Amino acid sequence: MTANSNRFSTYTSTSVGTGSEGKKDDQKKDMWSSMLDSVASGKRLPEKNLLVLGGSVDSQRDFLEALSSNDTRKNIDRNNHKIPPIANSFALGYTYYNVLDADQEDILARISLYLLTSPAPTFTSLIKPLLTPQSIPNTLIVILLDWSQPWLWMRQLREWLLLLRTVIMSLSHECKEMMEEVMISWRDRGRTGGSVNLDGTGAVAAEGDVALPLGPGEWEDALGLPLCVVCQNSERIDYLEKTQGWKEEKFDLVLQYLRTVLLRHGSSLIYTTPSMASPLQSLVHASLGIRSLLKRAPLKTNVIDRDKIVVPPNWDSWGKIRVLRDGFDVEQVSEGWSIDLDQPFPMIKSNSVDDANQFDSETNGTSEPEGSSVALYEEQVQDTSLDALQLAQGIKDTNRLEVPSVDTQAFLANQLERLDQQKKADDKAGKDNSFAQGTTDDMISDHIGPVQFNMGGIQVDADDMVQRLKDRQAYGHSPEPHLDDESQLEEGSAPVDTDTLAKFFGNLMNRKPTTPGPIAKT
């Protein structure tokens, strides 16, 4: 009985044991895969995107140099890593850099920069794939302006914003919903008395701080993405003051225009100089939600120093803009900017001769709508070094990359007509030259009068001497008589009587000398 009780089915026990071991192996595999996934996700770098618009190839490189600190590049060289190349010479450029912590050891995030220099409508298809529901919360738009041409800033801003609007309108419904969420959260970031700092962290409100509501002109034209405008090369402010006579009023006027239009988009503004340190890095990193765990760099607002302007988002207001300089109409500029943004893209440019004469209502060949802030700005902020040349030649658009070309045959025909006219004018001038020269000499002689000088004690008339020399030279060059003329003279003379001549000369030889006679006395 005992032996029978210990008996068991070999098939059953084997099959049961094999199933339990398989389940354990599956559990181990699942455990290891989950651990590896958690480690990989922990080491995965946060991806941030910067869409840099405007500027030139060199100015975009300067922006990257100012954004990525020198310590970061030294750390890259120390770790024997190559500096990422900047490919921005054609169409949409790309580069990246890693954001290091204060100890230069830990990498906080990796920022990918997409660079575009021209607001051509054909480039919209290159920007659209960059905006996805996953990338939109981690994207910041940067527009570069340059102090070498501050009179073009409003026009450049309008072109870039119209380009972005065209791209945003073509996005999917999911992307637009994500943009609405981003804008709702951005309206409270960094606001005085708010609960969220600029970098997205929670803010501790002090006593008496109250969250301020949106004022007039704020966030009225939200793009759906955070915006930052960087005005480079602010050291040229002194150059404009010396060469074009700009005063403090003109610099304040430019700043008031920028702050007014950027307030409608919730944008930040900063002036940078390549040779000076600026809070550009702190502003961009905070706008992307990148924060150091070791060191907090506070971002200070500056609207006093004309070459170190820093205006964070959600800080400005119409009242602060008016305080800068009296007489600035904030309402008119803000409403005019909304009119500018309602224009179609691309802007229709007219190149006809008749339209070129309408200088007051057109600038750069583009008809501006009534009440446009761009037209008002360009009327008050002008390049005084080119005004005379533009008025003389009728140049409207001196900054266009493309100009309409004339047909080759038409150009050559026009040149042929001009050459014929020039040839006729030269021939006429050659015929009149001799007469004009003689008349000029007579006028000079009458004006000067006779010229006399003393030569060896004798007063000599210069004009008389010159005339005698001319007569003598003319007599010396007179032609000698030809042989035919001499024969004709000889034939025409009377025949000579030789006998009479011989008798005459003989009497002269034989004539005796006469003696004087006696003197008669009276």
Side-chain angles (χ1 to χ4, degrees), residues 140 227-230 262 265-270 283 287 311-314:
L140 174 66
L227 177 64
C228 177
V229 175
V230 180
L262 296 181
H265 309 288
S267 172
S268 56
L269 175 65
I270 184 171
L283 177 61
S287 300
V311 181
N314 297 325

Side-chain angles (χ1 to χ4, degrees), residues 454-458:
N454 194 323
M455 180 182 291
I458 301 174

Side-chain angles (χ1 to χ4, degrees), residues 235-252:
E235 75 278 0
R236 292 185 63 88
I237 291 178
D238 297 334
Y239 175 79
L240 292 173
E241 186 177 15
K242 294 177 181 179
T243 59
Q244 298 199 17
W246 283 35
K247 304 298 182 182
E248 289 293 337
E249 294 79 4
K250 183 65 70 66
F251 295 112
D252 291 342

Side-chain angles (χ1 to χ4, degrees), residues 352-369:
S352 61
V353 179
D354 296 336
D355 294 338
N357 298 326
Q358 301 176 1
F359 182 77
D360 295 335
S361 61
E362 296 183 7
T363 305
N364 292 345
T366 304
S367 178
E368 299 297 343

Side-chain angles (χ1 to χ4, degrees), residues 177-194:
E177 289 183 349
M178 180 58 66
M179 286 184 174
E180 291 180 0
E181 296 179 4
V182 170
M183 288 295 96
I184 292 174
S185 63
W186 257 93
R187 288 171 183 171
D188 297 330
R189 291 178 61 170
R191 187 174 296 277
T192 303

Side-chain angles (χ1 to χ4, degrees), residues 169-235:
M169 293 299 295
S170 62
L171 295 177
S172 62
H173 182 68
E174 292 78 7
C175 293
K176 294 180 180 179
E177 289 183 349
M178 180 58 66
M179 286 184 174
E180 291 180 0
E181 296 179 4
V182 170
M183 288 295 96
I184 292 174
S185 63
W186 257 93
R187 288 171 183 171
D188 297 330
R189 291 178 61 170
R191 187 174 296 277
T192 303
S195 60
V196 182
N197 293 322
L198 181 60
D199 57 1
T201 58
V204 178
E207 294 184 5
D209 288 344
V210 180
L212 300 177
L214 295 179
E218 295 186 52
W219 290 100
E220 293 187 1
D221 292 314
L223 293 175
L225 293 170
L227 177 64
C228 177
V229 175
V230 180
C231 301
Q232 297 177 300
N233 300 320
S234 59
E235 75 278 0

Side-chain angles (χ1 to χ4, degrees), residues 11 43 48 119 141 146 196-197 218 224 241 255 257 269 309 332 338 399 426-427 446 511:
Y11 174 77
K43 292 185 176 181
K48 305 294 182 179
I141 298 176
D146 200 315
V196 182
N197 293 322
E218 295 186 52
E241 186 177 15
L255 181 57
Y257 267 98
L269 175 65
I309 297 297
Q332 181 182 3
S338 63
N399 301 284
D426 294 340
D427 295 341
D446 296 340
R511 187 175 61 178

